[in-house]
Amino acid sequence: MPLVEIICGAQTSDETLARAYDFVQQISKVPIVVNDSRGFYTSRVFGTYANEGIAMLGEGVSPSAVENAAFLSGFPVSPLAVTDEVSMTLMEKIRNQTIKDLEAEGKPYRAHPADAVVDKMLEASRPGKLAGGGFYEYPKNGKKHLWNGLPELFGGQADFELKDLQDRLLYIQAIETVRCLEE
């Protein structure tokens, strides 16, 4: 990945920041400077992409439509595929920690529609690629393909415009980018 986040803490000096920035450029990467916060920048923004795709599935959009909308928007990896790579078990752990952290700060957790889909997948013992299957099947002697149990769990007959699905995947990231900038 060409991008490297340089995370500034409360006591990061200008000299330290400059050295880190120079180093990242020396190794031919693209540096971005961000503040120390939950999820930093790339995880927050990219996470909205994965969650939006998962939410679409929960709304009854066919899994192949979700994945194709991502590819047609220029993404090299689709939201359901990247979720399988990360694992829904990890997503659940991150969510649980986020809930605890927000409670400690006196803030409410706002459930995302993707949460219910992830929970259903975990209940179906489909946490992701490392566990043998998630949204996709991973046959030993074949190519990965969408799990045929998804329509039974989530439908897949919802009417949609492909352009709307593409816009959702792009706009949700733009919105989170603005939130990061505001913070």
Side-chain angles (χ1 to χ4, degrees):
M1 182 172 191
L3 187 70
V4 174
E5 287 184 76
I6 299 172
I7 301 153
C8 290
Q11 297 180 1
T12 302
S13 70
D14 290 344
E15 180 183 352
T16 300
L17 175 57
R19 283 181 180 215
Y21 198 92
D22 288 345
F23 176 75
V24 170
Q25 289 184 317
Q26 287 172 15
I27 61 172
S28 300
K29 300 289 184 174
V30 177
I32 64 169
V33 179
V34 298
N35 290 326
D36 190 4
S37 66
R38 186 184 341 279
F40 307 123
Y41 176 75
T42 53
S43 295
R44 279 181 59 178
V45 173
F46 192 71
T48 63
Y49 163 74
N51 277 339
E52 194 69 15
I54 295 168
M56 288 180 202
L57 182 67
E59 294 166 14
V61 175
S62 72
S64 59
V66 172
E67 302 295 81
N68 287 332
F71 288 125
L72 292 171
S73 296
F75 292 98
V77 182
S78 58
L80 303 181
V82 78
T83 298
D84 271 6
E85 293 288 336
V86 170
S87 103
M88 287 172 261
T89 304
L90 177 61
M91 292 175 73
E92 179 186 45
K93 287 178 183 177
I94 292 168
R95 178 183 1 141
N96 290 340
Q97 187 61 51
T98 299
I99 291 168
K100 287 180 187 176
D101 292 348
L102 289 172
E103 283 176 357
E105 296 172 21
K107 298 176 183 174
Y109 174 74
R110 291 189 186 102
H112 190 281
D115 294 349
V117 174
V118 168
D119 291 344
K120 259 189 176 178
M121 291 296 289
L122 291 172
E123 289 167 13
S125 299
R126 306 280 310 177
K129 184 178 180 179
L130 284 178
F135 294 116
Y136 281 82
E137 290 284 358
Y138 299 92
K140 289 181 182 175
N141 298 321
K143 189 176 177 182
K144 78 176 183 180
H145 58 273
L146 285 163
W147 177 46
N148 62 8
L150 291 173
E152 183 180 324
L153 284 179
F154 304 109
Q157 305 302 320
D159 287 335
F160 62 88
E161 293 290 328
L162 182 61
K163 179 73 171 127
D164 292 340
L165 301 182
Q166 290 175 281
D167 286 348
R168 283 178 65 177
L169 293 171
L170 293 167
Y171 293 168
I172 197 68
Q173 292 178 89
I175 292 166
E176 190 63 22
T177 298
V178 171
R179 287 184 182 133
C180 288
L181 184 61
E182 287 175 345
E183 288 176 19

